[in-house]
Short mmCIF file of all heavy atoms in Angstrom, two decimals:
data_model
loop_
_atom_site.label_atom_id
_atom_site.label_comp_id
_atom_site.label_asym_id
_atom_site.label_seq_id
_atom_site.Cartn_x
_atom_site.Cartn_y
_atom_site.Cartn_z
N SER A 1 100.61 93.28 99.05
CA SER A 1 99.56 94.25 99.35
C SER A 1 98.28 93.55 99.76
O SER A 1 98.02 92.41 99.35
CB SER A 1 99.27 95.11 98.11
OG SER A 1 100.39 95.86 97.70
N LEU A 2 97.51 94.24 100.56
CA LEU A 2 96.16 93.81 100.93
C LEU A 2 95.29 95.05 101.03
O LEU A 2 95.78 96.14 101.34
CB LEU A 2 96.15 93.07 102.26
CG LEU A 2 96.68 91.64 102.30
CD1 LEU A 2 96.76 91.16 103.76
CD2 LEU A 2 95.81 90.70 101.50
N ARG A 3 93.99 94.85 100.82
CA ARG A 3 93.03 95.92 101.01
C ARG A 3 91.98 95.45 102.01
O ARG A 3 91.25 94.49 101.75
CB ARG A 3 92.36 96.32 99.70
CG ARG A 3 91.48 97.56 99.82
CD ARG A 3 90.64 97.77 98.60
NE ARG A 3 90.04 99.09 98.56
CZ ARG A 3 88.86 99.33 97.95
NH1 ARG A 3 88.19 98.36 97.37
NH2 ARG A 3 88.38 100.57 97.94
N LEU A 4 91.93 96.14 103.13
CA LEU A 4 90.95 95.82 104.16
C LEU A 4 89.71 96.68 103.99
O LEU A 4 89.80 97.83 103.55
CB LEU A 4 91.54 96.05 105.55
CG LEU A 4 92.89 95.37 105.85
CD1 LEU A 4 93.27 95.63 107.30
CD2 LEU A 4 92.84 93.90 105.55
N SER A 5 88.57 96.12 104.36
CA SER A 5 87.31 96.84 104.33
C SER A 5 86.64 96.74 105.69
O SER A 5 86.79 95.74 106.39
CB SER A 5 86.37 96.27 103.27
OG SER A 5 86.92 96.37 101.99
N CYS A 6 85.89 97.77 106.03
CA CYS A 6 85.14 97.77 107.28
C CYS A 6 83.76 98.36 107.00
O CYS A 6 83.65 99.54 106.66
CB CYS A 6 85.85 98.57 108.34
SG CYS A 6 84.88 98.82 109.84
N LEU A 7 82.75 97.54 107.15
CA LEU A 7 81.38 97.99 107.00
C LEU A 7 80.85 98.33 108.39
O LEU A 7 80.88 97.49 109.30
CB LEU A 7 80.52 96.90 106.36
CG LEU A 7 79.03 97.19 106.24
CD1 LEU A 7 78.79 98.41 105.37
CD2 LEU A 7 78.29 95.98 105.69
N ALA A 8 80.40 99.56 108.53
CA ALA A 8 79.91 100.03 109.83
C ALA A 8 78.44 100.39 109.75
O ALA A 8 77.98 100.88 108.71
CB ALA A 8 80.72 101.24 110.27
N SER A 9 77.72 100.15 110.81
CA SER A 9 76.34 100.61 110.84
C SER A 9 76.34 102.14 110.86
O SER A 9 77.28 102.77 111.33
CB SER A 9 75.60 100.04 112.03
OG SER A 9 76.23 100.40 113.23
N GLY A 10 75.27 102.71 110.36
CA GLY A 10 75.24 104.15 110.16
C GLY A 10 75.44 104.95 111.42
O GLY A 10 76.05 106.03 111.40
N SER A 11 74.98 104.44 112.55
CA SER A 11 75.10 105.18 113.80
C SER A 11 76.55 105.32 114.23
O SER A 11 76.91 106.19 115.00
CB SER A 11 74.29 104.50 114.89
OG SER A 11 74.76 103.19 115.13
N ILE A 12 77.39 104.42 113.78
CA ILE A 12 78.83 104.48 114.10
C ILE A 12 79.55 105.38 113.11
O ILE A 12 80.43 106.15 113.48
CB ILE A 12 79.46 103.08 114.05
CG1 ILE A 12 78.83 102.15 115.08
CG2 ILE A 12 80.96 103.17 114.26
CD1 ILE A 12 79.32 100.72 114.99
N PHE A 13 79.18 105.29 111.86
CA PHE A 13 79.98 105.83 110.77
C PHE A 13 79.63 107.28 110.41
O PHE A 13 80.53 108.10 110.21
CB PHE A 13 79.76 104.94 109.55
CG PHE A 13 80.62 105.26 108.37
CD1 PHE A 13 81.85 104.66 108.21
CD2 PHE A 13 80.18 106.17 107.41
CE1 PHE A 13 82.64 104.95 107.11
CE2 PHE A 13 80.96 106.47 106.31
CZ PHE A 13 82.20 105.85 106.16
N SER A 14 78.38 107.57 110.33
CA SER A 14 77.93 108.82 109.74
C SER A 14 78.49 110.04 110.45
O SER A 14 78.29 110.24 111.65
CB SER A 14 76.39 108.87 109.77
OG SER A 14 75.94 110.05 109.16
N GLY A 15 79.22 110.87 109.69
CA GLY A 15 79.74 112.12 110.22
C GLY A 15 80.86 111.98 111.22
O GLY A 15 81.27 112.96 111.84
N ARG A 16 81.40 110.77 111.39
CA ARG A 16 82.40 110.52 112.43
C ARG A 16 83.79 110.27 111.84
O ARG A 16 83.91 109.73 110.74
CB ARG A 16 82.01 109.30 113.26
CG ARG A 16 80.64 109.38 113.90
CD ARG A 16 80.54 110.51 114.91
NE ARG A 16 79.29 110.47 115.65
CZ ARG A 16 79.19 110.04 116.90
NH1 ARG A 16 80.26 109.61 117.54
NH2 ARG A 16 78.03 110.03 117.50
N THR A 17 84.79 110.64 112.62
CA THR A 17 86.15 110.24 112.28
C THR A 17 86.31 108.75 112.58
O THR A 17 86.00 108.30 113.68
CB THR A 17 87.18 111.04 113.09
OG1 THR A 17 87.06 112.43 112.73
CG2 THR A 17 88.59 110.56 112.82
N MET A 18 86.78 108.02 111.58
CA MET A 18 86.98 106.58 111.72
C MET A 18 88.46 106.25 111.75
O MET A 18 89.29 106.97 111.19
CB MET A 18 86.33 105.83 110.55
CG MET A 18 84.82 106.00 110.47
SD MET A 18 83.96 105.27 111.87
CE MET A 18 84.30 103.52 111.65
N GLY A 19 88.79 105.15 112.38
CA GLY A 19 90.18 104.74 112.48
C GLY A 19 90.36 103.26 112.24
O GLY A 19 89.43 102.47 112.46
N TRP A 20 91.52 102.92 111.73
CA TRP A 20 91.96 101.53 111.70
C TRP A 20 92.97 101.32 112.82
O TRP A 20 93.88 102.14 113.01
CB TRP A 20 92.61 101.19 110.36
CG TRP A 20 91.63 100.86 109.28
CD1 TRP A 20 91.19 101.69 108.29
CD2 TRP A 20 90.98 99.60 109.08
NE1 TRP A 20 90.29 101.03 107.49
CE2 TRP A 20 90.15 99.74 107.94
CE3 TRP A 20 91.01 98.37 109.73
CZ2 TRP A 20 89.36 98.70 107.45
CZ3 TRP A 20 90.24 97.34 109.25
CH2 TRP A 20 89.42 97.50 108.12
N TYR A 21 92.80 100.23 113.54
CA TYR A 21 93.65 99.86 114.64
C TYR A 21 94.22 98.47 114.34
O TYR A 21 93.68 97.72 113.53
CB TYR A 21 92.85 99.77 115.95
CG TYR A 21 92.14 101.03 116.35
CD1 TYR A 21 90.98 101.46 115.70
CD2 TYR A 21 92.61 101.80 117.42
CE1 TYR A 21 90.33 102.61 116.09
CE2 TYR A 21 91.95 102.95 117.82
CZ TYR A 21 90.81 103.34 117.15
OH TYR A 21 90.16 104.48 117.54
N ARG A 22 95.28 98.14 115.05
CA ARG A 22 95.79 96.77 114.94
C ARG A 22 96.33 96.30 116.28
O ARG A 22 96.76 97.10 117.10
CB ARG A 22 96.88 96.65 113.87
CG ARG A 22 98.16 97.40 114.16
CD ARG A 22 99.09 97.33 112.96
NE ARG A 22 100.35 98.04 113.19
CZ ARG A 22 101.27 98.24 112.25
NH1 ARG A 22 101.07 97.79 111.01
NH2 ARG A 22 102.37 98.90 112.54
N GLN A 23 96.27 95.00 116.47
CA GLN A 23 96.80 94.39 117.69
C GLN A 23 97.64 93.20 117.30
O GLN A 23 97.12 92.19 116.79
CB GLN A 23 95.68 93.97 118.63
CG GLN A 23 96.18 93.50 119.97
CD GLN A 23 95.09 93.41 121.01
OE1 GLN A 23 93.90 93.37 120.69
NE2 GLN A 23 95.48 93.41 122.28
N ALA A 24 98.93 93.33 117.52
CA ALA A 24 99.86 92.25 117.26
C ALA A 24 99.90 91.31 118.46
O ALA A 24 99.55 91.71 119.58
CB ALA A 24 101.25 92.81 116.97
N PRO A 25 100.32 90.08 118.25
CA PRO A 25 100.37 89.11 119.36
C PRO A 25 101.20 89.64 120.53
O PRO A 25 102.33 90.10 120.34
CB PRO A 25 101.04 87.89 118.72
CG PRO A 25 100.71 87.99 117.27
CD PRO A 25 100.71 89.46 116.97
N GLY A 26 100.61 89.61 121.70
CA GLY A 26 101.33 90.03 122.89
C GLY A 26 101.48 91.53 123.06
O GLY A 26 102.18 91.99 123.97
N LYS A 27 100.83 92.30 122.21
CA LYS A 27 100.96 93.76 122.27
C LYS A 27 99.59 94.41 122.43
O LYS A 27 98.55 93.79 122.19
CB LYS A 27 101.64 94.29 121.02
CG LYS A 27 103.08 93.83 120.86
CD LYS A 27 103.75 94.54 119.70
CE LYS A 27 105.21 94.13 119.58
NZ LYS A 27 105.89 94.85 118.46
N GLN A 28 99.62 95.67 122.84
CA GLN A 28 98.38 96.41 122.97
C GLN A 28 97.88 96.85 121.61
O GLN A 28 98.65 96.98 120.64
CB GLN A 28 98.59 97.63 123.87
CG GLN A 28 98.83 97.29 125.33
CD GLN A 28 98.82 98.53 126.22
OE1 GLN A 28 99.14 99.62 125.77
NE2 GLN A 28 98.43 98.35 127.46
N ARG A 29 96.60 97.09 121.55
CA ARG A 29 96.01 97.61 120.31
C ARG A 29 96.54 99.01 120.05
O ARG A 29 96.63 99.83 120.97
CB ARG A 29 94.49 97.63 120.43
CG ARG A 29 93.75 97.97 119.17
CD ARG A 29 92.25 97.82 119.42
NE ARG A 29 91.89 96.42 119.60
CZ ARG A 29 90.77 96.02 120.18
NH1 ARG A 29 89.91 96.90 120.65
NH2 ARG A 29 90.51 94.73 120.30
N GLU A 30 96.91 99.29 118.80
CA GLU A 30 97.42 100.61 118.45
C GLU A 30 96.63 101.20 117.29
O GLU A 30 96.14 100.48 116.41
CB GLU A 30 98.92 100.55 118.08
CG GLU A 30 99.22 99.81 116.78
CD GLU A 30 100.63 100.06 116.27
OE1 GLU A 30 101.26 101.08 116.63
OE2 GLU A 30 101.11 99.23 115.46
N LEU A 31 96.53 102.50 117.30
CA LEU A 31 95.87 103.23 116.22
C LEU A 31 96.83 103.37 115.05
O LEU A 31 97.96 103.83 115.23
CB LEU A 31 95.41 104.59 116.73
CG LEU A 31 94.70 105.51 115.74
CD1 LEU A 31 93.41 104.88 115.25
CD2 LEU A 31 94.44 106.86 116.39
N VAL A 32 96.38 103.02 113.87
CA VAL A 32 97.25 103.01 112.69
C VAL A 32 96.95 104.19 111.77
O VAL A 32 97.88 104.82 111.26
CB VAL A 32 97.06 101.69 111.92
CG1 VAL A 32 97.82 101.72 110.59
CG2 VAL A 32 97.52 100.50 112.75
N ALA A 33 95.68 104.47 111.55
CA ALA A 33 95.31 105.53 110.60
C ALA A 33 93.92 106.03 110.94
O ALA A 33 93.09 105.27 111.47
CB ALA A 33 95.33 105.00 109.17
N THR A 34 93.68 107.30 110.64
CA THR A 34 92.36 107.89 110.86
C THR A 34 91.93 108.67 109.63
O THR A 34 92.78 109.13 108.85
CB THR A 34 92.34 108.82 112.07
OG1 THR A 34 93.23 109.91 111.84
CG2 THR A 34 92.74 108.10 113.35
N ILE A 35 90.62 108.84 109.51
CA ILE A 35 90.07 109.64 108.43
C ILE A 35 88.82 110.35 108.95
O ILE A 35 87.94 109.71 109.55
CB ILE A 35 89.77 108.79 107.18
CG1 ILE A 35 89.31 109.67 106.03
CG2 ILE A 35 88.77 107.67 107.47
CD1 ILE A 35 89.30 108.96 104.67
N THR A 36 88.77 111.66 108.73
CA THR A 36 87.60 112.42 109.16
C THR A 36 86.46 112.22 108.17
O THR A 36 86.65 111.66 107.08
CB THR A 36 87.92 113.91 109.25
OG1 THR A 36 88.16 114.41 107.92
CG2 THR A 36 89.14 114.17 110.13
N SER A 37 85.27 112.71 108.52
CA SER A 37 84.14 112.60 107.61
C SER A 37 84.41 113.36 106.31
O SER A 37 83.86 113.00 105.26
CB SER A 37 82.87 113.12 108.27
OG SER A 37 83.05 114.46 108.68
N GLY A 38 85.27 114.36 106.37
CA GLY A 38 85.59 115.13 105.18
C GLY A 38 86.77 114.59 104.39
O GLY A 38 87.11 115.13 103.33
N GLY A 39 87.43 113.56 104.91
CA GLY A 39 88.50 112.92 104.17
C GLY A 39 89.91 113.26 104.59
O GLY A 39 90.87 112.80 103.95
N THR A 40 90.08 114.02 105.65
CA THR A 40 91.43 114.31 106.15
C THR A 40 91.99 113.07 106.83
O THR A 40 91.31 112.46 107.65
CB THR A 40 91.41 115.48 107.12
OG1 THR A 40 90.91 116.63 106.45
CG2 THR A 40 92.81 115.78 107.65
N THR A 41 93.22 112.73 106.48
CA THR A 41 93.82 111.49 106.98
C THR A 41 95.04 111.74 107.85
O THR A 41 95.73 112.76 107.70
CB THR A 41 94.21 110.57 105.81
OG1 THR A 41 95.16 111.26 104.98
CG2 THR A 41 93.00 110.19 104.98
N ASN A 42 95.32 110.79 108.72
CA ASN A 42 96.53 110.79 109.53
C ASN A 42 97.00 109.36 109.71
O ASN A 42 96.17 108.44 109.73
CB ASN A 42 96.30 111.44 110.90
CG ASN A 42 96.43 112.94 110.85
OD1 ASN A 42 97.52 113.47 110.65
ND2 ASN A 42 95.33 113.63 111.02
N TYR A 43 98.33 109.20 109.84
CA TYR A 43 98.90 107.87 109.95
C TYR A 43 99.96 107.83 111.04
O TYR A 43 100.67 108.82 111.28
CB TYR A 43 99.56 107.47 108.63
CG TYR A 43 98.63 107.48 107.45
CD1 TYR A 43 98.46 108.63 106.68
CD2 TYR A 43 97.90 106.35 107.11
CE1 TYR A 43 97.59 108.65 105.60
CE2 TYR A 43 97.03 106.36 106.02
CZ TYR A 43 96.88 107.51 105.28
OH TYR A 43 96.02 107.52 104.22
N VAL A 44 100.11 106.69 111.65
CA VAL A 44 101.24 106.47 112.53
C VAL A 44 102.50 106.40 111.67
O VAL A 44 102.44 105.98 110.50
CB VAL A 44 101.02 105.18 113.35
CG1 VAL A 44 101.08 103.94 112.46
CG2 VAL A 44 101.99 105.09 114.50
N ASP A 45 103.62 106.83 112.21
CA ASP A 45 104.84 106.94 111.40
C ASP A 45 105.23 105.62 110.74
O ASP A 45 105.75 105.61 109.62
CB ASP A 45 106.00 107.42 112.28
CG ASP A 45 105.90 108.90 112.61
OD1 ASP A 45 105.10 109.60 111.96
OD2 ASP A 45 106.63 109.36 113.50
N SER A 46 104.98 104.52 111.41
CA SER A 46 105.45 103.24 110.90
C SER A 46 104.75 102.80 109.61
O SER A 46 105.23 101.90 108.92
CB SER A 46 105.28 102.15 111.96
OG SER A 46 103.92 102.02 112.33
#
């Protein structure tokens, strides 16, 4: 297990849906998970 953190400046974060993305070697960046300002989450199937 690992726990990642992302500190964002307020202009990016406040009231916005945020996402975690990843880019594997030789591949395009993909969206992994999102969370709305209210806490609703979504995940890629993998």
Side-chain angles (χ1 to χ4, degrees):
S1 298
L2 285 172
R3 188 191 193 210
L4 308 184
S5 299
C6 172
L7 175 61
S9 58
S11 61
I12 298 175
F13 186 91
S14 182
R16 304 297 188 103
T17 297
M18 297 295 294
W20 278 99
Y21 301 75
R22 66 186 180 187
Q23 187 166 19
K27 295 188 177 181
Q28 290 189 332
R29 187 175 291 161
E30 68 166 338
L31 179 62
V32 173
T34 63
I35 185 167
T36 68
S37 58
T40 300
T41 60
N42 276 291
Y43 302 90
V44 68
D45 285 346
S46 60

